[in-house]
């Protein structure tokens, strides 16, 4: 039985030593969010606090985290958390549940926030005749489209090709609104996770010569190996793959389209015909402006697909960037007043948390407070 205190402790030990896998991390966060292991978390927190550490930076990190969470006396403007710091790691584990132990007892909330619930598995399927089929995880159904059988099973849409298309190709579009996400299996077996506020347009059955889809917003893909090339188009680039796993973030409100490769190999061509080839662990940034260059950098794949695995992963992220991510999932507006937009935070929080819990984790630094006016959340810097 995996759902035991011993197994829970095993996962937290792996998290603290940075040996946990992505699937184990997802399971750990799920166990934490259920609330059954709060006493174990408190015990572990106490152990970490008493554990001797070496190195001035580790000590400084620990003191900063716990001073701000326990006493709220330091009005810091930035909370930097190193992934390998034990104290920081356990703070992140606690934050993953949407709560912090010390916050439950001592945190001062400047103004109560009405709970805003997280998004869910929901989307709209736009068929070849432009009719629309609402989708959510409570339904199962089957329909026919352009030589394919389309089956909905909970939060997933599965295409099975029955024949090669004859004549005009039938295109379908899976569209998620803010506050929704969905999964899609294309007729070649390629699996696609579609994030909130995104669309994927694709043939109901791929023709014999190529596989070509169009993405806006964000999607993670595990492409089925096939002799036909697989092309993904966005407004600013085309990604060419044969068989690989990658994430593409192509929201227009972001400054660039970020493509992160997890396995295999992909070639990216922007609208200026500049091309780069990515190796696993690399990320390409295609500017939404007039730049012809495509910068390539090392990236954290787990962080890139955190949304797909059910959590937010902020690593020294500016508050205005965090707000754009939260806005898509919770379907609310955010306003950062004054210098609040430039504050930086590090935290890991499950996407099943209410918005109130997420903001509590961010406000634990004592640097910012939040208030709600209708469908708008305002952030203000706390001045000493």
């Amino acid at each position: 039985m995996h759902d035991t205190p011993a197994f829970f402790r095993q996962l937290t030990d792996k998290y603290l030593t940075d040996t946990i896998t992505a699937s184990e991390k997802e399971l750990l966060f799920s166990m934490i969010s259920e609330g059954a292991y709060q006493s174990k978390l408190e015990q572990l927190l106490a152990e970490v606090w008493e554990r001797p550490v070496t190195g001035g930076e580790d000590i400084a990190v620990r003191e900063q985290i716990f001073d701000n969470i326990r006493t709220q006396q330091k009005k810091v403007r930035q909370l930097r958390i190193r992934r390998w710091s034990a104290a920081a790691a356990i703070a992140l584990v606690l934050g993953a549940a949407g709560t912090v132990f010390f916050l439950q007892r001592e945190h001062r909330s400047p103004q109560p926030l009405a709970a805003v619930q997280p998004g869910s598995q929901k989307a709209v399927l736009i068929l070849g005749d432009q009719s629309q089929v609402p989708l959510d995880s409570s339904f199962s159904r089957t329909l026919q489209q352009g030589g394919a059988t389309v089956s909905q099973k909970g939060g997933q849409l599965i295409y099975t090709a029955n024949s090669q298309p004859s004549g005009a190709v039938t295109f379908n579009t899976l569209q998620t609104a803010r506050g929704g996400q969905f999964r899609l299996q294309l007729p070649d077996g390629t699996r696609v996770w579609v994030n909130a506020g995104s669309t994927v347009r694709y043939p109901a059955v791929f023709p014999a010569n190529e596989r070509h889809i169009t993405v806006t917003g964000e999607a993670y893909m595990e492409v089925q190996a096939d002799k036909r090339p697989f092309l993904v188009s966005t407004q600013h680039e085309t990604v060419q793959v044969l068989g690989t796993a990658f994430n593409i973030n192509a929201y227009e409100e972001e400054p660039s389209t970020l493509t992160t490769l997890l396995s295999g190999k992909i070639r990216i061509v922007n609208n200026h015909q500049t091309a780069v080839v990515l190796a696993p662990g690399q990320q390409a940034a295609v500017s939404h402006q007039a730049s012809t260059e495509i910068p390539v950098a090392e990236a954290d794949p787990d962080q890139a697909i955190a949304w797909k695995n059910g959590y937010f992963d902020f690593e020294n992220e500016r508050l205005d960037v965090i707000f754009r991510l939260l806005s898509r999932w919770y379907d609310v507006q955010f306003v950062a007043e004054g210098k609040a937009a430039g504050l930086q935070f590090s935290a890991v929080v499950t996407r099943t948390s209410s918005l109130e819990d997420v903001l509590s984790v961010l406000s634990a630094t004592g640097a910012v407070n939040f208030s709600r006016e209708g469908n708008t959340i305002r952030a203000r810097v706390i001045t000493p």
Side-chain angles (χ1 to χ4, degrees):
M1 291 291 292
H2 279 178
D3 190 14
T4 65
F7 182 64
F8 178 76
R9 180 55 189 258
Q10 178 184 346
L11 290 181
T12 55
D13 286 344
K14 285 187 174 183
Y15 188 96
L16 292 176
T17 57
D18 199 23
T19 58
I20 195 167
T21 66
S23 60
E24 288 173 334
K25 185 188 295 184
E26 183 178 359
L27 177 58
L28 173 61
F29 292 164
S30 175
M31 295 171 74
I32 292 173
S33 66
E34 293 172 359
Y37 295 92
Q38 183 64 26
S39 62
K40 293 294 181 183
L41 279 173
E42 295 174 7
Q43 177 184 348
L44 186 58
L45 178 63
E47 292 177 8
V48 170
W49 178 247
E50 296 299 329
R51 184 182 302 169
V53 294
T54 58
E57 188 169 14
D58 265 341
I59 296 173
V61 168
R62 184 173 72 173
E63 293 292 341
Q64 186 180 26
I65 292 169
F66 283 94
D67 281 352
N68 282 288
I69 292 179
R70 287 207 293 180
T71 69
Q72 294 293 298
Q73 290 177 351
K74 291 183 180 179
K75 308 303 182 182
V76 298
R77 294 297 175 268
Q78 186 178 51
L79 176 61
R80 296 187 179 274
I81 298 177
R82 290 295 186 99
R83 291 185 182 276
W84 42 261
S85 164
I90 192 59
L92 293 184
V93 171
L94 291 170
T99 59
V100 176
F101 170 56
F102 289 119
L103 285 180
Q104 294 175 336
R105 299 191 302 180
E106 301 182 57
H107 175 56
R108 296 182 293 113
S109 179
Q111 182 176 342
L113 290 168
V116 176
Q117 296 307 310
S120 60
Q121 303 289 323
K122 58 185 178 182
V124 173
L125 174 63
I126 303 174
L127 302 176
D129 61 2
Q130 298 306 302
S131 61
Q132 299 187 6
V133 180
L135 307 173
D136 66 53
S137 58
S138 63
F139 285 97
S140 294
R141 73 188 86 199
T142 301
L143 53 88
Q144 301 297 319
Q145 276 288 289
T149 299
V150 186
S151 303
Q152 182 196 349
K153 298 180 180 179
Q156 181 173 210
L157 206 59
I158 301 173
Y159 281 72
T160 303
N162 300 321
S163 62
Q164 281 295 315
S166 58
V169 176
T170 299
F171 283 88
N172 286 179
T173 300
L174 184 67
Q175 181 176 10
T176 59
R178 290 154 58 99
Q181 65 180 42
F182 221 74
R183 288 176 296 154
L184 170 66
Q185 182 171 306
L186 296 171
D188 66 333
T190 292
R191 298 195 296 169
V192 184
W193 285 255
V194 186
N195 203 354
S198 305
T199 64
V200 180
R201 185 174 184 268
Y202 50 91
V205 176
F206 287 119
N209 59 331
E210 71 174 13
R211 300 168 291 168
H212 194 172
I213 69 173
T214 302
V215 172
T216 64
E218 186 168 21
Y220 168 75
M221 301 175 211
E222 295 178 351
V223 178
Q224 183 71 30
D226 191 304
K227 63 180 181 180
R228 296 168 294 180
F230 193 98
L231 306 176
V232 181
S233 294
T234 73
Q235 186 170 340
H236 301 277
E237 69 178 28
T238 297
V239 179
Q240 303 171 351
V241 305
L242 291 176
T244 189
F246 66 100
N247 191 79
I248 186 164
N249 182 329
Y251 290 108
E252 275 303 301
E253 60 267 30
E254 300 295 341
S256 59
T257 294
L258 300 179
T259 305
T260 309
L261 182 64
L262 281 78
S263 64
K265 182 181 291 186
I266 58 178
R267 182 173 184 264
I268 298 171
V269 182
N270 66 12
N271 293 342
H272 302 280
Q273 299 307 304
T274 302
V276 297
V277 175
L278 296 189
Q282 291 184 325
Q283 181 181 84
V286 173
S287 173
H288 292 177
Q289 304 303 317
S291 175
T292 61
E293 301 299 318
I294 305 179
V296 175
E298 297 299 315
D300 181 351
D302 286 340
Q303 188 175 27
I305 63 170
W307 68 270
K308 172 255 182 185
N309 290 331
Y311 57 97
F312 296 103
D313 186 348
F314 308 132
E315 182 76 11
N316 291 333
E317 197 69 83
R318 285 172 54 99
L319 187 59
D320 54 354
V321 176
I322 293 174
F323 275 178
R324 291 200 294 271
L325 297 174
L326 296 179
S327 180
R328 295 175 194 131
W329 187 234
Y330 293 94
D331 194 17
V332 296
Q333 301 298 319
F334 290 90
V335 175
E337 298 186 352
K339 298 180 180 180
L343 301 182
Q344 291 178 285
F345 298 86
S346 295
V348 175
V349 188
T350 59
R351 284 163 69 94
T352 56
S353 303
S354 72
L355 180 59
E356 180 182 19
D357 286 338
V358 177
L359 298 183
S360 292
V361 173
L362 299 180
S363 63
T365 61
V368 64
N369 64 26
F370 302 95
S371 61
R372 184 179 180 186
E373 302 170 5
N375 199 44
T376 300
I377 305 294
R378 294 186 177 275
R380 298 179 177 88
V381 173
I382 297 177
T383 56

